[in-house]
Amino acid sequence: MAFADLIPQLPAIELLQRSLHHQRIGHAYLFSGSIRASLELAAMALAKAVNCRKALSDRTPSDALSSDFCDHCDSCIRIGNHLHGDIQWIRPESKSRVITIDQVRRMVNTLALKPNDAEVKVWIMVDADRMNAQAANAFLKTLEEPPGSTLMILLTTQKDRLLDTIRSRCLSLHFSGDSMEAMRTRHAPWLEDFVRMLSAEHSDMMGRYRALGVLTSKLAASRASIEESMKERFLDGLSSEVEASFRKRREDEMKAAVEAEYRRVRTDLLSAFQWWLRDLWLSAEKGSAHQVAFPSLAPEQLRWKPRADRQALLANIELLEDLQRTLLSNVQEALALEVHLLKIQL
Ligand SMILES: [Zn+2]
């Protein structure tokens, strides 16, 4: 694997590769975008690229950094498995989902030390917007005087929540989300079941509850697969001899990572539904010829016609936005979903 296989044709990746090629890698990057997993992959790729053994041994004096990585050398493999001591990840801690000043201090202290065997020591902060005020201020000091041979990569899906002073000191790269085509492929199958239930008999409350069932089982399946993959990533390969406190920390990190990823997936699922509601409104507003996100789920394809007027169809979109906001505060998920779904007017 290389950059090109990972996230093809993203302007941000090209830009990164150009800076690598011209040896203009900064000390601090801010990667923003809507998909956290893509940001993590990009950060991992950059950590590999600046440390790849093969790239380093191939290089000529005029070409200090390769613009890619091999993914096979010892360094690439350890980074890929989260087992490289010089490449550290910070994530919001469980429960409060906050990055604390202690976490930032730990990072600052180790940044001051020389790397053990990496060329460049890398710190990757996932959900950097979750730094609390104290943590952000402590971090700012490091950003102002970054130690040599270090690279800090901040990741955020909510860039506007970061302090301006932090944003302005990082090289900022935006990773745009995936294409409409990718969204369709990912969501059309479950969405079809879901909207058929919703639209089939709108006088029937049971239809709404059946639809809710489709959504909640989709969410539960997503959570289970996230838990499985995070377990593999955080705990597999952890020797049985590691200290209990270390294992505990990994488990806490894992829980926070599961929660963060689940929230991302849930947002993504509900956004797909929101696109469908937008399709309905657009068709009512501008006629069915207008470009829609899910043509295969258009009313005529479902042999159905919404009764709700344009105003009501527009209100549905706002209702979904409200649901997304509500879910970000710590309300009970099942209740929020039920309350909002029952208010949808079709
Ligand atoms: Zn390599």
Side-chain angles (χ1 to χ4, degrees):
M1 189 163 62
F3 271 123
D5 304 319
L6 193 66
I7 315 164
Q9 281 101 42
L10 273 178
I13 287 288
E14 285 171 15
L15 214 131
L16 257 189
Q17 289 196 275
R18 272 205 299 282
S19 348
L20 282 163
H21 186 72
H22 296 295
Q23 313 169 34
R24 281 198 309 248
I25 277 294
H27 279 292
Y29 280 87
L30 173 61
F31 289 1
S32 62
S34 54
I35 302 176
R36 185 182 289 102
S38 306
L39 300 178
E40 290 192 24
L41 282 175
M44 186 182 266
L46 180 56
K48 286 177 180 174
V50 295
N51 284 305
C52 175
R53 297 254 184 254
K54 174 145 194 327
L56 292 169
S57 68
D58 287 352
R59 76 185 182 187
T60 59
S62 63
D63 174 24
L65 285 167
S66 157
S67 59
D68 218 328
F69 55 94
C70 74
D71 221 20
H72 299 298
C73 69
D74 166 64
S75 170
C76 285
I77 290 173
R78 281 192 296 149
I79 294 171
N81 290 330
H82 290 266
L83 292 172
H84 198 306
D86 288 321
I87 316 300
Q88 300 282 339
W89 295 72
I90 294 192
R91 294 171 188 277
E93 308 232 285
S94 263
K95 287 191 183 147
S96 56
R97 296 201 67 253
V98 159
I99 293 175
T100 62
I101 189 165
D102 286 343
Q103 285 176 288
V104 171
R105 283 204 184 116
R106 268 206 300 276
M107 176 187 91
V108 171
N109 290 340
T110 60
L111 274 179
L113 307 170
K114 279 204 155 51
N116 281 322
D117 59 348
E119 191 76 3
V120 181
K121 189 174 252 194
V122 185
W123 271 88
I124 300 164
M125 189 186 286
V126 181
D127 290 329
D129 50 89
R130 303 295 305 180
M131 270 189 282
N132 63 22
Q134 286 174 309
N137 282 321
F139 185 63
L140 201 51
K141 292 207 187 80
T142 311
L143 269 182
E144 280 162 355
E145 290 171 52
S149 293
T150 57
L151 174 60
M152 291 172 270
I153 310 173
L154 308 188
L155 312 182
T156 180
T157 53
Q158 289 174 295
K159 192 177 170 188
D160 46 348
R161 286 180 51 173
L162 270 172
L163 289 181
D164 275 344
T165 39
I166 289 186
R167 271 190 281 176
S168 63
R169 283 172 176 80
C170 298
L171 291 165
S172 197
L173 289 180
H174 183 73
F175 293 78
S176 53
D178 57 359
S179 65
M180 197 56 100
E181 193 52 46
M183 182 184 74
R184 248 175 234 147
T185 317
R186 203 164 60 245
H187 292 297
W190 79 269
L191 198 56
E192 176 164 359
D193 290 345
F194 179 63
V195 302
R196 275 188 192 282
M197 298 284 178
L198 266 188
S199 60
E201 296 171 51
H202 30 91
S203 55
D204 180 2
M205 240 342 115
M206 282 315 289
R208 290 296 166 98
Y209 280 100
R210 276 196 290 269
L212 186 60
V214 171
L215 178 60
T216 48
S217 51
K218 175 73 186 165
L219 286 169
S222 305
R223 183 183 272 281
S225 89
I226 292 166
E227 280 171 352
E228 197 175 326
S229 73
M230 290 296 179
K231 202 164 164 250
E232 204 172 291
R233 189 161 117 200
F234 282 86
L235 301 179
D236 283 10
L238 207 60
S239 140
S240 55
E241 283 149 34
V242 299
E243 280 177 44
S245 63
F246 180 78
R247 177 174 288 274
K248 170 82 175 62
R249 203 168 79 221
R250 281 298 270 274
E251 284 171 354
D252 288 346
E253 284 170 358
M254 182 186 75
K255 276 183 212 151
V258 166
E259 208 43 47
E261 180 62 7
Y262 175 71
R263 280 167 178 251
R264 186 194 68 75
V265 169
R266 185 177 61 194
T267 302
D268 192 43
L269 287 172
L270 291 172
S271 301
F273 176 45
Q274 196 171 330
W275 276 103
W276 182 76
L277 291 171
R278 181 182 162 279
D279 286 356
L280 286 187
W281 169 72
L282 259 184
S283 305
E285 188 77 17
K286 312 212 161 152
S288 56
H290 208 85
Q291 189 149 37
V292 294
F294 292 100
S296 66
L297 303 178
E300 53 273 31
Q301 300 290 330
L302 301 171
R303 295 165 203 263
W304 162 77
K305 196 171 185 309
R307 287 187 200 162
D309 62 15
R310 285 181 291 183
Q311 213 52 40
L313 292 174
L314 184 59
N316 288 340
I317 303 173
E318 285 155 15
L319 192 65
L320 252 282
E321 275 164 10
D322 182 63
L323 171 61
Q324 298 268 31
R325 269 195 304 274
T326 308
L327 286 170
L328 287 177
S329 59
N330 285 320
V331 294
Q332 210 214 336
E333 179 189 87
L335 184 65
L337 290 175
E338 182 181 333
V339 166
H340 285 78
L341 272 192
L342 292 181
K343 283 191 196 155
I344 299 271
Q345 305 174 71
L346 295 172

